[in-house]
Amino acid sequence: MSNIVGIEHDRVTNTVSTDFPGYSIEANNEFDIEEFKKKFQINISYITERTANFDLIGIDTSIANAFRRIMIAEVPSVAAEHVYVFNNTSVIQDEVLAHRIGLIPLKVDPDTLTWVDQTVDEKDRFTDDNTIVLSLDVVCTKNPNAVPGDNRAENLYRNSNVYAKDLKFEPQGRQTETFEKNPVVPCDPNILLAKLRPGQEISLRVHCILGIGSDHAKFSPVSTASYRLLPVIDILKPIAGSDALEFQKCFPSGVIDIKENGEAFVKDARKDTVSREVLRHEKFNGKVKLGRQRDHFIFNVESTGAMPPEEIFFKSVRVLRNKAEYLRNCPIGNLN
Amino acid sequence: MSELAQPEQPTQQQQPTNEEPLEDQDQEMDEGEEALDLEKIKLLPGATDDGTAASFQIIDEDHTLGNALRYIIMKNPNVEFCGYSIPHPSEAKLNIRIQTYGDITAVQALHQGLDDLVKVCTHIEEEFSTKITQRDYGTEEP
């Protein structure tokens, strides 16, 4: 079936998709939204708080890749952009500390903020509509109630470690009402930002705005979003007996099972990681064919915590649609 | 999950990099008085007189839209050739060439492709949101 990408021991075959009209006489691959709707399927495997794993069946690589690229680079999210340092006597330099603060994922729904208008003058640019203000004020002091004999910093000093949870949300203007139910906190409170010793102090204010991953990776809402194609294992000649047990060992557990008569069969190809271990053994030459199904994408989306992962995918589909709609309504000028 | 029941009103347009003027990317389809983006897509020289073959240059786009659009336009039986290229990776420009068999113009093929892409995305959105509300998936990683 030309739908399968072949996997040999040294190369990959049949990778190009051929579903355009004119490729073959029988198949009419003309774009028809009804045909697409019939072929297209979504199966969701699991969705946790931070991860979503789902299958998209019946679309082309270009569209699946577009979703993946948009999830990584073009779904907007909120991160710290400007850090105003009032006092920093720690050993962590201002810019290093600011860089680390920028990378902290914040639990802010990006729809609650608007884009910052860069053309407006700087003193009017940041409003309560488009900026979240956080502050960090930490002073490290000696711990008078230290347990003697314990030389750990947590015991000897107070506030020796600065964590992401020490960033305090300062609601501005209308934000006291809009963020009442869900104040701005970092998604992972225990990210270590800096270490201090007695006498050192950090006092700064942070402005967080909306941005996209292609501008800076801190704005990417996913820790990663990836897809793989569904593996296909074809057993051409029966494999039985002790060979079947060896065959089973060539794949991750759960992929190959053995029938009562000792023959091996493919139980769940989806669990396979396609390590091609079986192609290294001469005794299985010609008995098995590995491949991947070209239009079955298994997506794995890991969110950093700002939005649930299924919402990130949802937004990426929206972004692609908006791009197409926007372009549709643009007048075509002339290059001059 | 309130996002899923949202009407078709688009979420924020992607923000261009800081040095681009802001009039580029927002307010297109709604109020008619808003400025039309005249820079977004341009016709390159090399088009035939009857418009059946043309090249377009789209700015601020890359493989994300280019490959997806090329795929959809190729599925149009009237299109003889469709390809895209990015002339230089440091510049965000996308060149698309469309040649048709003569029944439609290249601009029509482009518009048809964009409309089809919108239909595909809309269907995927609806299907996904139906599957989410059905809730027959696990909530733990196996």
Side-chain angles (χ1 to χ4, degrees), chain B residues 67-99:
Chain B
N67 201 15
L69 193 56
R70 175 203 60 84
Y71 167 74
I72 300 267
I73 293 178
M74 273 303 282
K75 272 178 138 348
N76 189 336
N78 288 317
V79 166
E80 178 196 2
F81 174 89
C82 177
Y84 81 98
S85 79
I86 296 183
H88 194 280
S90 303
E91 288 181 340
K93 294 202 175 114
L94 177 71
N95 288 357
I96 276 200
R97 174 133 187 112
I98 304 177
Q99 287 171 203

Side-chain angles (χ1 to χ4, degrees), chain A residues 19-21 29-31 33 36-37 40 42-48 51 54 59-60 62-63 66-67 69-70 74 109 111 113 115-119 212 310-311 313-314 317-318 320-335, chain B residues 1 3-4 6-8 10-15 18 22 24-25 28-29 37 40-44 57-58 61-65 67 71 74-75 77 107 111 114-116 118-125 128-129 131-132 137-142:
Chain A
D19 57 339
F20 47 90
N29 288 313
E30 181 180 337
F31 179 78
I33 188 70
F36 172 75
K37 284 185 185 173
F40 181 67
I42 298 187
N43 295 334
I44 305 183
S45 291
Y46 59 85
I47 297 187
T48 70
T51 323
F54 53 91
I59 56 170
D60 185 64
S62 48
I63 314 239
F67 292 145
R69 286 172 66 101
I70 293 177
E74 297 190 51
D109 183 3
D111 295 326
L113 290 182
W115 290 96
V116 171
D117 189 352
Q118 299 289 348
T119 56
I212 51 175
E310 69 272 12
E311 192 182 317
F313 177 71
F314 204 71
V317 181
R318 275 272 178 83
L320 185 62
R321 197 183 84 182
N322 289 347
K323 274 186 200 258
E325 280 175 346
Y326 183 71
L327 202 54
R328 177 69 176 86
N329 297 321
C330 276
I332 301 180
N334 276 311
L335 202 71
Chain B
M1 295 296 184
E3 301 308 314
L4 303 170
Q6 242 177 22
E8 38 39 72
T11 49
Q12 285 83 4
Q13 283 290 344
Q14 49 275 42
Q15 177 80 337
N18 280 345
L22 204 53
D24 248 11
Q25 292 268 17
E28 8 79 308
M29 11 192 277
D37 190 347
K40 185 76 177 175
I41 174 169
K42 291 199 167 144
L43 198 64
L44 291 172
Q57 181 172 86
I58 307 174
E61 292 295 348
D62 56 0
H63 303 282
T64 307
L65 183 67
N67 201 15
Y71 167 74
M74 273 303 282
K75 272 178 138 348
V107 176
H111 285 170
L114 287 166
D115 289 333
D116 289 341
V118 169
K119 284 191 208 149
V120 167
C121 288
T122 316
H123 176 70
I124 296 180
E125 242 184 275
F128 192 66
S129 105
K131 278 284 149 93
I132 292 275
Y137 47 82
T139 45
E140 291 294 320
E141 269 189 59

